[in-house]
Amino acid sequence: MTSRTRSPERRPEPLPVQQPERPKASEATRAYPGVPRTQAAKADVPQQPWNPAASLQAYTTAPLASRMSMPPLASQAPRSLQPRPLKELSIEVQEAVILEDLLIILMGYEGQYIRFAKHYNPAVETQRLAGPGFRILPGLDPALQDLTIAMLKIATSYGAIQAFVEVQSREEFGSVNHALCAAIRRMLHDYLVLIVQLETQFLTNSAFTLHTLNLQTISAGHMMYQIYSLAHDILRRNSLLEEDGDSDPDFDDIETLENIPGKKICKGGTVLGLITKRLETMSGDPTAKSLLTSLLRDASRPYMTMLNEWLHHGSMKDPHAEFLIREQTSIRRDRLEEDYTDEYWDRRYTLRHSNIPPQLDGVKSKVVLAGKYLNVVRECGGVDVRAVKDVPRYFDDIRFLDNINNAYAVANESLLKLLLTNYALPARLRSLKHYFFLDRSDFFSCFLELGTSELRKPVDSVNTSKLQSLLDIVLRQPGSVAARDPFKEDVKVEMNKISLIESLTRVVNISGMELDEAFPNPTSQSTETEKVAIGFTSLQLDYSVPFPVSLVISRKTIWRYQALFRYLLSLRYPEQQLVASWQIQNRAATWSHQSSSREVEIWKRSVFTLRARMLNFVQQLFYFCTSEVIEPNWQAFMEKLNGKEDENGGSKRIVSTVDELMGDHVDFLDTCLKECMLTNSKLLKIHSKLVHTCFLFANSTTWLSRGLEINDPDFSGTERPANMNKQQWARFQSEKYRRGDATSSNSASKRGETPLEKMQDVARKCGFNFDRHLQILLDALNHYAATETVVLLGLCARLSIANQGTESSSVSRSNEEATL
């Protein structure tokens, strides 16, 4: 090794260092602890020539990283190059040689008297990232040694920072790390300029001492410490330090690199979050605050570039997966139209919660939605990408939040305008209301009449193609409301084997299970319902919606429309059956004739009353669902969509965002489901029993008519009874002839098959079940109207009419009086 000297004015005494005298073996061993013992013991053995050479290291993706091999350690140099022991030097000379060594050490190299620690190996990356340790050869004056040890911390920080810059500049660590390393590299350049200036003073200024060097490097040491601490925080997240290993508590916040199995990568917003967190911690230190603010501004520039590209153009240029938004390229628009799912809106663009900087945490939803809106508009060919100039480049720009809010508003307005005008969303919603809520449903009544023969079959035997043809014919009739609907081609007929009550019960009961509770088997639950399922109970409509309207009218909302449609159909079908029963009883002579038997006449009147009460119940419930639940909520929803003014002249809240539109749409449907009692399992079960009772009673009309003809004594003979006019008798004979009954004696012979007592028992059971379940329903409605939904009070008042004068109502009234 060669040693530099000061100018002649700085030399306190001449140093005979040109040809140092070779010490003896024993003295060399004591004087130079860095020389191996084997070498000292074999001093008389000729040494191998020492020819250190540089070589190229392996290729690295860090573009500015040095590929030169590390210089050999000073401890490996031959004894002939070892310096003179410190204890043989005076204090002035010790200060001079230590100053010279420190200037070398502060640039990352070994000196003659200050060397790397024995355990430090610069070839090991983790040790270089932790920073080199140093040891001072023995013999240095204690006062000089204290100052030297204090300044060696700067050298440790510099070595660690230099290694950090080389490692974090690799391609896989992302552009934010690259920008941070570039900013740190500029600061290291300024630091090296300072060292060169101090070296010039050392060589030219005789008053330059170790204490002066310490004072001149205090600010640089503080800067290096702050960068060193920040680098260690990032390296701990990357698990690149031996002392941390896998003990990082924030493992979930770190991305895993795909091409390096098991390696954790801290990049993007995570790095910016670490800088921001440290900036908040050191906010009381003006120097550290200025330094960290500068690093944050430089590191955030590529992130802000990606953010502005996403906000104003809807495109994402994120080759290193460090942006706060993740794009699933496998989810495409054409696939969305095929399987009709909500994946495009919910899963194509998702948040990387680990890569969200603290500055964006409060507006992350707006950032995601702004880009989503622009993507949807661009895919539909209606985007108007304007060149946005003068956008903020840093987080601390005062226009930062205004930039996000303005971009969100512009993107929102573009998509909302596209949906409301180009794709006629309000007309689509009105079309859904016509078909699924049976609004102006003359076409649907005609469809049910034409398809009655098919809909009465078991669900597995129903010809869906035939029903679809019948629906198309009905929708194209010139007089129907649907004839002018441009979206009638999107309505499809399908069969759902799962009953409405069972389907809704499954949804309502998804609220968690106990540990010892077995999961219900859906196949075993649906066995009984599938046996009796017919076309009427399984009929439902489907609706095809193109993109991007499918983002608002999604499969989730279509399911809600279908649930409401099947519920209304479950009321319309018993109503149709009861009306048919009423028509039969009005036309048939056996029912309209006043019998001479008092017992038969009383039974007939009880059947009339029960049928009228059931019909009133079904009609009142249907009217309540359509006129008092769906229609008011629909009008409120459309007022929000269209922004109409209320009666007092004040403007109501209008839909201003697409997400708000989707939320209002779902809220409208959920409110209808709740107020129609479709979200309460107890009310669903009671409703199911009541409708089933009405259905059974309506279907027994034909059997009851045959039994009445057999058991009425007025029809047992061949001559017209005295209390029956000729017109009724002629109608009875024609009905009898149509059925193929030869003589009236057949009726007498079948009287034992259908006794009047059995008919009375059937009517009594139907009436009892209807009264009992109706009273249970009224009690439940009163309870839920007081605790959950006030609108149910109107239904209670309407249904109480159908329960007046019954035994159940009398018992309930007496119980209330007793309670009072």
Side-chain angles (χ1 to χ4, degrees):
M1 293 183 181
T2 59
S3 110
R4 294 172 298 174
T5 58
R6 310 170 187 238
S7 60
E9 295 80 10
R10 283 297 311 270
R11 298 180 182 176
E13 60 177 297
L15 296 177
V17 296
Q18 296 183 1
Q19 290 292 335
E21 184 180 356
R22 183 185 300 274
K24 296 181 181 181
S26 59
E27 295 176 356
T29 304
R30 291 192 301 270
Y32 309 111
V35 181
R37 293 179 179 272
T38 56
Q39 183 180 354
K42 299 179 181 180
D44 54 343
V45 179
Q47 297 182 3
Q48 296 292 335
W50 191 58
N51 297 317
S55 61
L56 285 176
Q57 293 180 343
Y59 172 76
T60 176
T61 56
L64 299 181
S66 175
R67 294 186 59 194
M68 296 298 296
S69 60
M70 296 293 175
L73 299 177
S75 59
Q76 299 174 357
R79 287 186 305 112
S80 61
L81 297 179
Q82 299 297 332
R84 186 176 177 179
L86 287 172
K87 64 180 180 180
E88 298 179 3
L89 306 177
S90 63
I91 294 179
E92 290 78 4
V93 177
Q94 285 185 4
E95 183 179 14
V97 296
I98 289 300
L99 269 171
E100 186 174 7
D101 272 11
L102 278 174
L103 292 172
I104 297 174
I105 289 294
L106 291 176
M107 290 190 293
Y109 302 99
E110 282 187 297
Q112 297 186 70
Y113 296 97
I114 305 175
R115 301 178 179 179
F116 291 140
K118 292 182 179 180
H119 65 273
Y120 178 71
N121 183 4
V124 180
E125 183 179 277
T126 54
Q127 294 189 22
R128 287 191 291 114
L129 290 171
F134 295 95
R135 60 188 176 90
I136 305 173
L137 295 184
L140 184 62
D141 181 75
L144 298 177
Q145 187 169 2
D146 290 342
L147 285 174
T148 303
I149 293 175
M151 284 185 286
L152 287 179
K153 296 178 181 179
I154 303 176
T156 300
S157 300
Y158 174 78
I161 295 170
Q162 195 173 28
F164 169 82
V165 170
E166 291 187 359
V167 171
Q168 296 291 116
S169 295
R170 295 172 185 167
E171 182 182 4
E172 62 265 20
F173 287 94
S175 58
V176 173
N177 274 315
H178 297 168
L180 175 63
C181 292
I184 295 176
R185 191 180 290 112
R186 288 193 297 271
M187 294 181 180
L188 293 181
H189 178 267
D190 297 338
Y191 165 79
L192 291 176
V193 170
L194 174 64
I195 300 301
V196 171
Q197 293 173 350
L198 294 174
E199 184 181 20
T200 303
Q201 294 185 33
F202 165 70
L203 295 174
T204 59
N205 186 4
S206 59
F208 190 81
T209 62
L210 189 62
H211 184 68
T212 304
L213 178 62
N214 184 31
L215 292 177
Q216 293 288 339
T217 56
I218 287 177
S219 60
H222 184 58
M223 177 192 72
M224 300 300 289
Y225 172 75
Q226 294 297 331
I227 301 176
Y228 174 79
S229 301
L230 175 63
H232 267 230
D233 289 342
I234 297 175
L235 292 174
R236 289 191 190 98
R237 289 292 189 96
N238 287 332
S239 296
L240 292 178
L241 296 180
E242 291 181 347
E243 64 267 24
D244 293 303
D246 293 333
S247 61
D248 188 4
D250 297 324
F251 175 80
D252 294 336
D253 292 338
I254 304 173
E255 296 286 337
T256 301
L257 194 66
E258 296 179 358
N259 56 354
I260 303 180
K263 186 173 182 180
K264 293 179 290 183
I265 300 296
C266 175
K267 55 187 177 180
T270 309
V271 175
L272 298 178
L274 290 175
I275 302 176
T276 304
K277 183 178 179 181
R278 186 156 190 85
L279 179 59
E280 294 174 353
T281 305
M282 304 302 297
S283 59
D285 186 345
T287 305
K289 182 178 179 181
S290 175
L291 170 69
L292 294 172
T293 301
S294 177
L295 290 178
L296 180 61
R297 287 169 64 93
D298 292 336
S300 62
R301 291 190 67 176
Y303 200 92
M304 286 295 297
T305 301
M306 290 186 286
L307 178 63
N308 288 322
E309 186 72 20
W310 171 257
L311 289 175
H312 300 291
H313 301 282
S315 59
M316 187 185 303
K317 297 178 181 179
D318 186 20
H320 304 290
E322 53 187 338
F323 194 47
L324 80 159
I325 298 171
R326 179 190 293 109
E327 180 182 9
Q328 298 286 348
T329 55
S330 60
I331 302 175
R332 302 182 304 274
R333 173 186 170 184
D334 51 355
R335 184 181 172 214
L336 174 71
E337 292 178 348
E338 289 175 5
D339 49 25
Y340 206 82
T341 63
D342 301 328
E343 288 187 350
Y344 185 90
W345 192 256
D346 295 335
R347 294 179 53 191
R348 179 168 180 180
Y349 297 104
T350 56
L351 282 172
R352 288 191 181 98
H353 294 281
S354 61
N355 277 346
I356 301 177
Q359 295 83 352
L360 292 174
D361 192 52
V363 291
K364 57 186 177 183
S365 59
K366 288 188 176 181
V367 173
V368 176
L369 293 177
K372 278 186 179 181
Y373 293 159
L374 289 181
N375 269 278
V376 174
V377 176
R378 186 177 65 248
E379 290 195 14
C380 298
V383 67
D384 181 17
V385 179
R386 303 172 183 174
V388 181
K389 300 180 180 179
D390 195 23
V391 293
R393 302 294 181 185
Y394 311 104
F395 285 144
D396 55 356
D397 195 315
I398 60 175
R399 302 168 300 167
F400 174 70
L401 291 178
D402 291 338
N403 178 50
I404 296 175
N405 292 329
N406 294 336
Y408 174 72
V410 171
N412 213 331
E413 182 182 357
S414 300
L415 180 56
L416 193 60
K417 181 179 179 181
L418 183 73
L419 291 174
L420 296 180
T421 57
N422 296 16
Y423 287 89
L425 179 61
R428 283 274 181 187
L429 294 173
R430 285 191 293 269
S431 176
L432 282 168
K433 181 173 181 282
H434 289 323
Y435 299 126
F436 287 90
F437 296 157
L438 305 182
D439 178 42
R440 301 178 184 177
S441 57
D442 54 340
F443 67 92
F444 191 74
S445 300
C446 182
F447 167 73
L448 291 181
E449 293 177 3
L450 294 176
T452 299
S453 60
E454 197 69 30
L455 292 172
R456 286 179 177 174
K457 297 179 181 179
V459 63
D460 294 329
S461 303
V462 175
N463 189 346
T464 310
S465 301
K466 182 179 179 180
L467 291 178
Q468 182 65 49
S469 301
L470 292 175
L471 180 63
D472 293 339
I473 293 173
V474 170
L475 293 180
R476 286 167 176 78
Q477 287 184 356
S480 66
V481 178
R484 297 182 180 181
D485 186 9
F487 310 114
K488 56 179 174 292
E489 302 291 340
D490 297 329
V491 185
K492 306 296 179 183
V493 176
E494 61 182 20
M495 292 290 161
N496 192 343
K497 295 183 180 180
I498 302 176
S499 66
L500 171 66
I501 303 301
E502 182 179 352
S503 176
L504 291 171
T505 304
R506 289 182 184 180
V507 176
V508 170
N509 290 339
I510 299 177
S511 58
M513 300 170 57
E514 300 295 336
L515 293 176
D516 56 349
E517 185 179 357
F519 189 81
N521 187 3
T523 57
S524 62
Q525 293 178 356
S526 59
T527 303
E528 296 182 0
T529 57
E530 289 179 358
K531 288 182 180 179
V532 298
I534 60 174
F536 276 109
T537 59
S538 302
L539 175 65
Q540 74 177 20
L541 300 180
D542 198 5
Y543 198 83
S544 301
V545 185
F547 183 86
V549 184
S550 55
L551 301 177
V552 179
I553 308 175
S554 62
R555 288 308 302 173
K556 296 176 183 178
T557 57
I558 289 294
W559 183 89
R560 292 173 170 86
Y561 277 105
Q562 290 175 338
L564 288 168
F565 168 78
R566 295 187 68 185
Y567 179 71
L568 296 177
L569 180 61
S570 69
L571 298 176
R572 176 61 68 87
Y573 180 53
E575 179 189 11
Q576 187 180 25
Q577 295 296 99
L578 289 171
V579 170
S581 175
W582 172 79
Q583 292 174 346
I584 292 175
Q585 293 172 4
N586 277 340
R587 288 196 304 261
T590 52
W591 290 97
S592 60
H593 163 68
Q594 184 175 1
S595 176
S596 59
S597 173
R598 178 177 177 82
E599 185 179 10
V600 172
E601 192 64 26
I602 292 175
W603 174 80
K604 286 167 55 177
R605 295 182 182 276
S606 65
V607 171
F608 292 158
T609 304
L610 181 58
R611 183 254 307 151
R613 292 177 56 234
M614 287 183 174
L615 183 59
N616 179 69
F617 162 75
V618 174
Q619 289 177 341
Q620 291 292 346
L621 190 55
F622 186 85
Y623 177 83
F624 169 78
C625 292
T626 54
S627 299
E628 296 189 9
V629 173
I630 295 178
E631 191 63 29
N633 287 295
W634 168 262
Q635 294 297 333
F637 172 59
M638 294 307 293
E639 286 178 3
K640 292 179 182 179
L641 186 62
N642 299 326
K644 293 182 179 179
E645 295 184 354
D646 56 13
E647 297 177 356
N648 298 327
S651 60
K652 293 187 176 181
R653 183 183 67 87
I654 62 173
V655 174
S656 58
T657 67
V658 178
D659 268 9
E660 194 175 314
L661 170 61
M662 292 189 292
D664 289 340
H665 189 206
V666 173
D667 290 343
F668 155 68
L669 294 173
D670 288 343
T671 303
C672 292
L673 288 172
K674 182 179 180 180
E675 295 183 356
C676 288
M677 305 171 291
L678 300 184
T679 57
N680 190 305
S681 58
K682 295 181 180 179
L683 295 178
L684 282 175
K685 292 177 181 179
I686 300 172
H687 170 269
S688 175
K689 293 177 181 179
L690 279 169
V691 173
H692 185 64
T693 302
C694 297
F695 180 75
L696 291 178
F697 177 77
N699 284 345
S700 64
T701 302
T702 304
W703 178 79
L704 292 176
S705 299
R706 298 283 293 175
L708 177 61
E709 181 182 347
I710 295 172
N711 289 277
D712 192 344
D714 293 345
F715 299 101
S716 58
T718 57
E719 296 183 359
R720 177 173 63 86
N723 55 355
M724 179 182 292
N725 55 38
K726 295 181 180 180
Q727 186 178 5
Q728 291 178 338
W729 178 253
R731 188 164 62 249
F732 170 71
Q733 292 295 331
S734 62
E735 292 174 358
K736 185 177 179 181
Y737 178 78
R738 193 183 308 114
R739 291 195 305 268
D741 292 343
T743 60
S744 61
S745 60
N746 292 335
S747 300
S749 63
K750 294 178 182 179
R751 185 171 301 174
E753 298 179 5
T754 311
L756 182 61
E757 292 79 10
K758 185 176 180 180
M759 297 168 57
Q760 291 174 340
D761 185 60
V762 169
R764 188 183 305 109
K765 287 182 178 180
C766 288
F768 175 78
N769 289 332
F770 180 77
D771 295 342
R772 176 172 173 269
H773 291 124
L774 181 57
Q775 187 60 49
I776 294 174
L777 177 62
L778 288 173
D779 294 340
L781 288 177
N782 281 310
H783 170 72
Y784 289 115
T787 57
E788 294 183 8
T789 309
V790 183
V791 72
L792 296 179
L793 286 174
L795 180 61
C796 292
R798 291 182 177 278
L799 295 183
S800 60
I801 300 176
N803 202 38
Q804 288 180 355
T806 61
E807 296 180 0
S808 300
S809 62
S810 302
V811 172
S812 178
R813 191 178 301 106
S814 61
N815 291 336
E816 292 178 0
E817 293 175 356
T819 304
L820 296 175

